[in-house]
Amino acid sequence: MLVLNCPVKLQMLEKMLRWSFPESLKAYGAVMNINRGNPFRKEVVVDSWPDFKAVITRLQRENEMDDLDHYTNAHAVFYKDLQAYRELLENTNAINWGQSFQIQGLQDGICEISRTVALSKQVDVKTSSFQMVIHSDPDMLPDVRLKMDPKLTLSYLDISHASLLNKTWSRGGNLRCEKYLANLICCFPSVCVLDENGCPVSWSLTDQFATMIHSYTLPEHQRKGYSRLVATTLAKKLHSYGFPAQGNVLETNIPSITLLRSMNAQFLPCSFFRVIHTPFHFLANSHL
């Protein structure tokens, strides 16, 4: 196991991960953020270098603080060899199995290996899967010209909006999530429509893996084109920064799928998997 902390090697890794699209997209987005200021204080672990077979991005060990915060304790993974990935995952120097954490990636074996290894570590596993989409060509994004209510303005999220986002996000509703969302707002691109009081009515946010997440419009402002406006604007912004404009959606979320198709999004053949790991002794905490 090696921790890559050399800027030259990290730049090399970023280029090498591009060769394995789309399966490497999550790890690629994380490494891009590391190479561009590292706002979430992440680092990269590989099984070997330069001929790596498995990559895990994680929070820097010296910055680990809250063992119950699986939002911040998030890992992006990519492997070329499933056994190499399993061995890296089992290594307690690579993964802190004493805390709650999540793993994100686009390969089927991720869920399988997590279940197998977690059983021996006395850790509970919850998996979820989504359709993965990417806006690979900025020229294919629609030219959205929307006549908005003059009381509304197109802007970006502010840290004061974290509470509203936390209440409306399906993964939110707790203080750890609100803190995580506040950090995302501070560190990564976002787009929103604000009302006359400066409160967002529609928004889209980017996470630590350069993924567009939590796109939402308040019910009283739905069906007015605001979701398409903020999502398209954010995708163009990400492209202007050199990031892949990627996102994910539940297969049952027909309105969002329709929206993404109207934006000429490319639906990828591989699914996105999120695996949340919780040590058995933490399960009594119902807010996890």
Side-chain angles (χ1 to χ4, degrees), residues 9 17 74 77 98 113 145 159 166 242 253 288:
K9 292 179 179 179
L17 288 171
V77 304
I113 294 301
R145 299 184 182 183
I159 192 171
N166 182 41
N253 191 343
L288 287 175

mmCIF file of all heavy atoms in Angstrom, residues 9 17 74 77 98 113 145 159 166 242 253 288:
data_model
loop_
_atom_site.group_PDB
_atom_site.id
_atom_site.type_symbol
_atom_site.label_atom_id
_atom_site.label_comp_id
_atom_site.label_asym_id
_atom_site.label_seq_id
_atom_site.Cartn_x
_atom_site.Cartn_y
_atom_site.Cartn_z
ATOM 1 N N LYS A 9 3.129 12.747 -9.336
ATOM 2 C CA LYS A 9 2.461 11.441 -9.426
ATOM 3 C C LYS A 9 0.946 11.597 -9.443
ATOM 4 O O LYS A 9 0.239 10.857 -10.145
ATOM 5 C CB LYS A 9 2.902 10.556 -8.266
ATOM 6 C CG LYS A 9 4.362 10.131 -8.336
ATOM 7 C CD LYS A 9 4.747 9.258 -7.143
ATOM 8 C CE LYS A 9 6.213 8.823 -7.234
ATOM 9 N NZ LYS A 9 6.613 7.997 -6.066
ATOM 10 N N LEU A 17 -6.307 7.842 -15.035
ATOM 11 C CA LEU A 17 -7.699 7.501 -14.759
ATOM 12 C C LEU A 17 -8.613 7.853 -15.921
ATOM 13 O O LEU A 17 -9.658 7.216 -16.115
ATOM 14 C CB LEU A 17 -8.173 8.199 -13.484
ATOM 15 C CG LEU A 17 -7.596 7.651 -12.175
ATOM 16 C CD1 LEU A 17 -7.968 8.559 -11.005
ATOM 17 C CD2 LEU A 17 -8.098 6.232 -11.902
ATOM 18 N N ALA A 74 -15.915 9.865 3.134
ATOM 19 C CA ALA A 74 -16.340 9.258 1.869
ATOM 20 C C ALA A 74 -15.125 8.904 1.023
ATOM 21 O O ALA A 74 -14.148 9.661 0.965
ATOM 22 C CB ALA A 74 -17.253 10.212 1.101
ATOM 23 N N VAL A 77 -13.546 4.966 -5.314
ATOM 24 C CA VAL A 77 -12.682 3.820 -5.599
ATOM 25 C C VAL A 77 -12.737 3.459 -7.086
ATOM 26 O O VAL A 77 -13.717 3.705 -7.781
ATOM 27 C CB VAL A 77 -13.076 2.584 -4.751
ATOM 28 C CG1 VAL A 77 -13.060 2.928 -3.269
ATOM 29 C CG2 VAL A 77 -14.446 2.047 -5.147
ATOM 30 N N GLY A 98 -13.032 1.403 11.915
ATOM 31 C CA GLY A 98 -13.624 1.736 13.197
ATOM 32 C C GLY A 98 -14.591 2.903 13.126
ATOM 33 O O GLY A 98 -15.141 3.309 14.148
ATOM 34 N N ILE A 113 -17.571 -6.954 -2.695
ATOM 35 C CA ILE A 113 -16.404 -7.002 -1.818
ATOM 36 C C ILE A 113 -16.693 -6.329 -0.482
ATOM 37 O O ILE A 113 -16.257 -6.801 0.574
ATOM 38 C CB ILE A 113 -15.193 -6.345 -2.507
ATOM 39 C CG1 ILE A 113 -14.774 -7.158 -3.730
ATOM 40 C CG2 ILE A 113 -14.025 -6.222 -1.537
ATOM 41 C CD1 ILE A 113 -14.405 -8.603 -3.428
ATOM 42 N N ARG A 145 -32.974 29.776 -22.251
ATOM 43 C CA ARG A 145 -33.337 31.185 -22.122
ATOM 44 C C ARG A 145 -34.719 31.244 -21.498
ATOM 45 O O ARG A 145 -35.736 31.004 -22.139
ATOM 46 C CB ARG A 145 -33.328 31.868 -23.482
ATOM 47 C CG ARG A 145 -31.949 31.832 -24.157
ATOM 48 C CD ARG A 145 -31.913 32.577 -25.448
ATOM 49 N NE ARG A 145 -30.607 32.488 -26.090
ATOM 50 C CZ ARG A 145 -30.278 33.108 -27.218
ATOM 51 N NH1 ARG A 145 -31.174 33.854 -27.850
ATOM 52 N NH2 ARG A 145 -29.070 32.967 -27.729
ATOM 53 N N ILE A 159 -23.583 29.764 2.384
ATOM 54 C CA ILE A 159 -23.536 28.857 3.534
ATOM 55 C C ILE A 159 -24.805 28.946 4.386
ATOM 56 O O ILE A 159 -25.205 27.964 5.018
ATOM 57 C CB ILE A 159 -22.272 29.144 4.382
ATOM 58 C CG1 ILE A 159 -22.062 28.025 5.409
ATOM 59 C CG2 ILE A 159 -22.344 30.501 5.042
ATOM 60 C CD1 ILE A 159 -20.745 28.115 6.136
ATOM 61 N N ASN A 166 -30.459 20.814 3.734
ATOM 62 C CA ASN A 166 -30.471 19.650 4.620
ATOM 63 C C ASN A 166 -31.888 19.123 4.825
ATOM 64 O O ASN A 166 -32.124 17.910 4.862
ATOM 65 C CB ASN A 166 -29.843 20.036 5.962
ATOM 66 C CG ASN A 166 -29.757 18.881 6.932
ATOM 67 O OD1 ASN A 166 -29.438 17.755 6.561
ATOM 68 N ND2 ASN A 166 -30.050 19.146 8.197
ATOM 69 N N GLY A 242 -13.009 22.676 -16.293
ATOM 70 C CA GLY A 242 -12.286 21.478 -16.712
ATOM 71 C C GLY A 242 -12.770 20.194 -16.080
ATOM 72 O O GLY A 242 -12.163 19.141 -16.264
ATOM 73 N N ASN A 253 -36.963 7.810 -10.609
ATOM 74 C CA ASN A 253 -37.181 9.260 -10.594
ATOM 75 C C ASN A 253 -37.436 9.742 -12.016
ATOM 76 O O ASN A 253 -36.562 10.332 -12.663
ATOM 77 C CB ASN A 253 -35.963 9.960 -9.979
ATOM 78 C CG ASN A 253 -36.227 11.428 -9.684
ATOM 79 O OD1 ASN A 253 -37.171 12.021 -10.209
ATOM 80 N ND2 ASN A 253 -35.389 12.029 -8.853
ATOM 81 N N LEU A 288 -28.011 7.856 11.932
ATOM 82 C CA LEU A 288 -27.007 7.572 10.912
ATOM 83 C C LEU A 288 -27.668 7.292 9.570
ATOM 84 O O LEU A 288 -28.677 6.662 9.494
ATOM 85 C CB LEU A 288 -26.153 6.376 11.329
ATOM 86 C CG LEU A 288 -25.167 6.653 12.452
ATOM 87 C CD1 LEU A 288 -24.472 5.363 12.855
ATOM 88 C CD2 LEU A 288 -24.140 7.684 12.044
#
